[in-house]
Amino acid sequence: MSQYTAPVRDMQFVMHELAGLQEVAKLPGCEDVSSDLVDAILDEANKFASGILAPLNRVGDQEGAKWDHGKVTTAPGWKEAYRQFSEAGWTAVAGDPEYGGQGLPKLLSTAVMEMWKAANMAFSLCPMLTNGAIEAVALRGSDEQKAAYLPKMISGEWTGTMNLTEPQAGSDLAAVRTRAEPQGDGTYRLFGQKIFITYGEHDLTDNIVHLVLARLPDAPEGVKGISLFVVPKFLLNADGTPGERNDVQCVSIEHKLGIHASPTCVLAFGDSGGAIGTLVGEANRGLEYMFIMMNEARFAVGMEGLALSERAYQHALAYAKDRVQGTEAGVRGGPKVSILHHPDVRRMLMSMKSQTEAMRALAYVVGAATDLAHRHPDAAVRAQKQAFVDLMIPVVKGWCTENSIDIASTGVQVHGGMGFIEEAGAAQHLRDARITTIYEGTTAIQANDLIGRKIARENGVTVRALIGDMRAVQGQLAEQQGEAFAAIRKSLDAGIAAVEAAVDYILATYNNDIKAASVGSVPFLKLLGIVGGGWQMARAALASQARIAAGSDDEFYRTKIVTARFYADHVLSLAPALAYAVVNGAAGALALDEAHF
Amino acid sequence: MSQYTAPVRDMQFVMHELAGLQEVAKLPGCEDVSSDLVDAILDEANKFASGILAPLNRVGDQEGAKWDHGKVTTAPGWKEAYRQFSEAGWTAVAGDPEYGGQGLPKLLSTAVMEMWKAANMAFSLCPMLTNGAIEAVALRGSDEQKAAYLPKMISGEWTGTMNLTEPQAGSDLAAVRTRAEPQGDGTYRLFGQKIFITYGEHDLTDNIVHLVLARLPDAPEGVKGISLFVVPKFLLNADGTPGERNDVQCVSIEHKLGIHASPTCVLAFGDSGGAIGTLVGEANRGLEYMFIMMNEARFAVGMEGLALSERAYQHALAYAKDRVQGTEAGVRGGPKVSILHHPDVRRMLMSMKSQTEAMRALAYVVGAATDLAHRHPDAAVRAQKQAFVDLMIPVVKGWCTENSIDIASTGVQVHGGMGFIEEAGAAQHLRDARITTIYEGTTAIQANDLIGRKIARENGVTVRALIGDMRAVQGQLAEQQGEAFAAIRKSLDAGIAAVEAAVDYILATYNNDIKAASVGSVPFLKLLGIVGGGWQMARAALASQARIAAGSDDEFYRTKIVTARFYADHVLSLAPALAYAVVNGAAGALALDEAHF
């Protein structure tokens, strides 16, 4: 069966050598983040992920969450695992210390989050959505709301949900119709139906805190008339304990391709007189608040792409080492060998491995930049880091998730015929991965955000600074000897040039022909991800070479250089083709009338 | 729900304008293949595919085939559909007229086969495997075997299976262990277990004819000691009717990611004294016979890639036309539009459409070449066409199936959140497509065949001739006016150069470093598919331009040119990157020790 062990060595390498853990540890509020603490947390999280969560991944897929007359029962073992998870304090890792959280830096919570998602993605969605609700309340909630909900959610005693989507309002939240009627006592009654609500109902906790987008009676049309409400499943008694059942019901859950154990709910608000809620922040600013929180959620989904890729890789590698089939290439009648000996299996595994490591490096670097953006004493540094984070969030989300589908599919392929048999477990990773490019904004939504708000709006300032950072690495590569570094440099040179050409095209086109620019948006997002990953793999190779030069004989470093070289030859080398599609691809894509498709 | 209508217009265009239907119709035995006959057959097949088979696709997925104590029950409606299918003569389309077949040319049966596979892939596997068994008996069976089995299988009264795989013998058939003991009366008793046997047991017909690979007691080790046997589920009475039950039992069926309605059986031969069979052809030549038949089966699986892509495209297009979400790009507060208006949705649909049309063009051209290879009066033409077919079979199989996974996944993406919900049906195409790169030889097996037997062994003669044919089209493109043709020519130029560079590398490397050549085998297969498809799309654009120049105002031709241009900009443009990986990618892929993965 599929097992999972967190790749702690690579996580540590990335945190220390690429993402600047030492700098993060100097930030205000991070003074306790010693190497020992990091080691201890990663070690404990790995134990929990591999020992408790990973073994439940398959039963979750097979049994799934079950709906019966409005009640949702989670898969066998889920409830106990959730209890242990919250009791061990894992729900509180990133939370505000004022409300019981541990306030650990993003860089560290990112590594921990990767473990939960790799071990059991369906499980991880529950704390992930709760984090979204925590953030919403922390960001704009009143003191009463904070006091009522934050300690309970941070401790994991209650979970939270995000209620955005309605049948007619998916990517287009301007179309939200759920109504909120003021009751004159500071509360509101909500009426409407929300769909695709992750963990909208379950049996893990005594209460569920729904964050809900809805319209006030006098609200303007469109995006500027949407407000945010907090609507608990059970209304709170005066002492803060769950009291009367609120008028929100789970009327069904979806039958999905993957993440079967995560109940995806249709929630009906107000079928019996109105679901009682309170306004979060100011009226009509709900969507604006959502956008502020979006970085967090999109980053987390990007981590799902990384995490599922790691899981699929471990799964395929174990099979490839175990499965004996055929003889060494070119050898007739020789001994049978494990399929890891076959060149194409190696190619597939190196492709999975190198892309996963590139994603980890880029994502953790963005995680560390988030810490600097939030906590650095110098406002200029904060602003610069925030701009980098804003630029890279859609890339981490879109690129890592698109990759994860391919990588999980490659994992199936490594298994041969067994990959198609559900019992082998490889197919689950593909099924689970398939949602990641859709929720929290499809890849196209990420790509729109990237070329519009993150590049065109500021005339490319931040992306050009990023290109400058990449060029600096080119210079360092030029100082290295050997074939591997020559190969890395060659592909990175071409990759950076490809990004520049594509950026030039987008900046020249966006404001006068947004459709033409948009045709290239997803190819550009992938391009920036691939080259961003190549940049980090080049840095990883340089850092490894420095260790080797300093006398280390740790095979990890030699392996990292080989992996970076594979990435350069097989993945980064795609960059010019993507730029070609960005720069040349609009006319053909836009020429047909609707009727001629 | 998902509907399907065969793309008859495009099929006709490809058959007439690209694949040379007129030349095929001049071949001996094809004299009756008039345009009218082709029209009538495509029309009738379309009615059956869209009216009978397509509506059963979903119930087949949901209900699947069910196993109970050795008996397999097909999904509701399956049995009746199969009866109608065989009564209408569809099982006999490609069969030998001497045994009741219609002997239609491959080009025509290819179009018909595409329809079955698009409408209901799980259903289509039953006649496909039967065709394999028919071919085996027709190719090397004795007169008695032919008389006993061919008319029944061609009429569809009985079905056939191919029994190759065993738990330890998947891609490596040298490891087959099933034993066949001669009884001295011309029959054999077989003992062993076969897995992954498609339609190995079912309730559609009165008998099932198993073709089985097994070893005789004195057989040499390895691939040269495997013989082929015919083992009917029910032994035949003297009058040819099914009699006593043979000792072959279905002990279980697999729970698979997709094609749920196609029972994938574990068959136990000889648990009660031996399954009685007869030898097909000569002893120890079973694998050789399999190789002769392999072209047919691999081509058919390639058609599954094409067919599922077409189905996924139609499904996604219907959703994109229907689903209203957001406003036109760059328009705030304008009317809501169907998502087909959004640039990235158009890009996705054009990508699906253009690749599907490219696959159809290339596959049908190979289909027509098969007719010429089999029937042309000039032996030199036959040999030349056979060499082309042999070269292209692994490409059609590997490239079309790899594409189909991406294309079906893109179809899910077009659906947004609904794509992940099984009820929407888009996910089924992805699940079904996922097997196609695995069975009948994984993509790596195809790619090995391509660079080894089909290119290196003959020192690149046929692939260089193909490059010459492509160059001729470049010349014709240069004579055309306009942006679209300039774009097509530019990408095709680069694509052909990429193929040449990769071929040079493979020829220089294969015989002295087979592992290095093999690392590039799958990227090369994809490269040859992409450029082969681009070559055909360029021909399609030229043929369309000729029609327009001759006065046609059929929008089909204008659309074809736009589609070919999109393909050139977005798909064909990947060729240089693939060649880069072929030429440069070996060292990084082969450098790591097993322990360092």
Side-chain angles (χ1 to χ4, degrees), chain A residues 167-172 174 196 254-259 313 317 321 323 325-326 328-330 336 338 340-341 343-344 346-347 349-350 353 405-406 409 412-413 416-418 420-422 427 430-431 434-435 437-438 442-444 490-491 514-515 518-519 522-523 555 559 562 565-566 569-570 573-574 577 580-581 584-585 587-592 594 596-597, chain B residues 167-172 174 196 254-259 313 317 321 323 325-326 328-330 336 338 340-341 343-344 346-347 349-350 353 405-406 409 412-413 416-418 420-422 427 430-431 434-435 437-438 442-444 490-491 514-515 518-519 522-523 555 559 562 565-566 569-570 573-574 577 580-581 584-585 587-592 594 596-597:
Chain A
Q168 79 295 344
S171 295
D172 179 17
F196 297 162
E254 307 291 351
H255 174 47
K256 308 188 297 297
L257 176 60
I259 51 168
Y313 170 67
L317 176 60
K321 285 183 170 178
R323 171 71 170 169
Q325 191 78 172
E328 200 82 39
K336 306 283 185 187
S338 75
L340 180 51
H341 287 254
D344 190 64
R346 292 180 72 97
R347 183 191 62 82
L349 288 167
M350 286 299 294
K353 174 181 168 66
I405 298 171
D406 285 345
S409 186
V412 170
Q413 189 72 17
M418 283 309 293
F420 200 64
I421 308 299
E422 286 287 2
L430 174 59
R431 290 189 287 96
R434 194 61 197 79
I435 188 57
T437 60
I438 295 173
T442 63
T443 307
K490 189 172 171 192
S491 284
I514 190 172
K515 285 194 171 190
S518 299
V519 167
V522 168
E555 273 298 336
T559 299
V562 169
R565 192 245 168 106
F566 180 94
D569 291 340
H570 288 260
S573 52
L574 288 165
Y580 189 94
N584 300 284
L590 297 172
L592 288 193
E594 190 172 324
H596 300 136
F597 271 83
Chain B
Q168 79 294 344
S171 294
D172 179 18
F196 296 162
E254 307 291 351
H255 174 48
K256 308 187 298 296
L257 176 61
I259 52 168
Y313 170 68
L317 177 60
K321 286 183 171 179
R323 171 69 170 171
Q325 190 78 172
E328 199 82 39
K336 306 282 186 188
S338 74
L340 181 51
H341 287 254
D344 190 63
R346 292 181 70 97
R347 182 190 62 82
L349 288 167
M350 286 298 296
K353 175 181 166 65
I405 297 171
D406 286 344
S409 185
V412 170
Q413 190 72 15
M418 284 308 293
F420 200 64
I421 309 299
E422 287 287 0
L430 174 59
R431 291 189 286 96
R434 195 61 197 78
I435 188 58
T437 59
I438 296 172
T442 64
T443 306
K490 189 172 170 191
S491 285
I514 190 172
K515 285 194 171 189
S518 299
V519 168
V522 168
E555 274 295 338
T559 299
V562 169
R565 190 244 168 106
F566 180 94
D569 292 340
H570 288 260
S573 52
L574 289 165
Y580 189 93
N584 300 283
L590 297 172
L592 289 193
E594 188 171 326
H596 301 136
F597 271 83

Side-chain angles (χ1 to χ4, degrees), chain B residues 299-592:
Chain B
F299 183 83
V301 175
M303 296 302 295
E304 291 176 2
L306 162 59
L308 285 166
S309 300
E310 172 69 32
R311 182 71 185 262
Y313 170 68
Q314 291 190 20
H315 200 149
L317 177 60
Y319 186 82
K321 286 183 171 179
D322 186 58
R323 171 69 170 171
V324 171
Q325 190 78 172
T327 57
E328 199 82 39
V331 178
R332 286 239 166 183
K336 306 282 186 188
V337 296
S338 74
I339 62 171
L340 181 51
H341 287 254
H342 300 324
D344 190 63
V345 174
R346 292 181 70 97
R347 182 190 62 82
M348 288 193 279
L349 288 167
M350 286 298 296
S351 161
M352 299 171 82
K353 175 181 166 65
S354 66
Q355 290 185 87
T356 302
E357 292 181 15
M359 288 189 274
R360 180 174 298 117
L362 190 63
Y364 286 23
V365 164
V366 173
T370 309
D371 287 321
L372 293 165
H374 289 170
R375 306 191 195 230
H376 199 280
D378 182 341
V381 173
R382 288 202 302 276
Q384 182 208 1
K385 292 295 175 183
Q386 188 62 50
F388 172 73
V389 170
D390 288 344
L391 176 72
M392 295 310 286
I393 288 288
V395 177
V396 168
K397 200 286 185 182
W399 175 62
C400 294
T401 58
E402 292 282 343
N403 284 349
S404 74
I405 297 171
D406 286 344
I407 289 170
S409 185
T410 302
V412 170
Q413 190 72 15
V414 170
H415 282 74
M418 284 308 293
F420 200 64
I421 309 299
E422 287 287 0
E423 195 187 355
Q428 184 190 345
H429 307 315
L430 174 59
R431 291 189 286 96
D432 287 352
R434 195 61 197 78
I435 188 58
T436 60
T437 59
I438 296 172
Y439 62 13
E440 288 297 339
T442 64
T443 306
I445 296 285
Q446 307 303 321
N448 272 343
D449 180 51
L450 176 64
I451 68 165
R453 272 182 292 269
K454 307 302 173 57
I455 290 184
R457 185 183 286 179
E458 59 158 39
N459 202 27
V461 171
T462 306
V463 74
R464 293 212 190 278
L466 171 62
I467 291 170
D469 290 345
M470 292 179 180
R471 288 246 180 264
V473 172
Q474 275 184 304
Q476 295 166 50
L477 290 170
E479 294 160 17
Q480 300 298 323
Q481 305 293 315
E483 230 181 61
F485 281 97
I488 294 168
R489 188 178 167 214
K490 189 172 170 191
S491 285
L492 189 61
D493 281 359
I496 295 171
V499 170
E500 279 196 310
V503 167
D504 289 346
Y505 171 82
I506 289 165
L507 290 174
T509 314
Y510 191 86
N511 288 317
N512 51 53
D513 189 351
I514 190 172
K515 285 194 171 189
S518 299
V519 168
S521 64
V522 168
F524 175 71
L525 180 150
K526 290 181 182 174
L527 169 62
L528 195 53
I530 284 173
V531 178
W535 166 49
Q536 292 303 323
M537 289 304 278
R539 291 186 64 219
L542 289 165
S544 295
Q545 187 60 38
R547 294 280 170 179
I548 292 168
S552 170
D553 60 356
D554 187 341
E555 274 295 338
F556 178 88
Y557 298 118
R558 220 184 56 82
T559 299
K560 183 63 86 177
I561 294 169
V562 169
T563 307
R565 190 244 168 106
F566 180 94
Y567 184 90
D569 292 340
H570 288 260
V571 184
L572 188 49
S573 52
L574 289 165
L578 289 164
Y580 189 93
V582 172
V583 173
N584 300 283
L590 297 172
L592 289 193

Side-chain angles (χ1 to χ4, degrees), chain A residues 264-278:
Chain A
T264 302
C265 302
V266 178
L267 292 187
F269 290 86
D271 278 0
S272 308
I276 294 170
T278 52

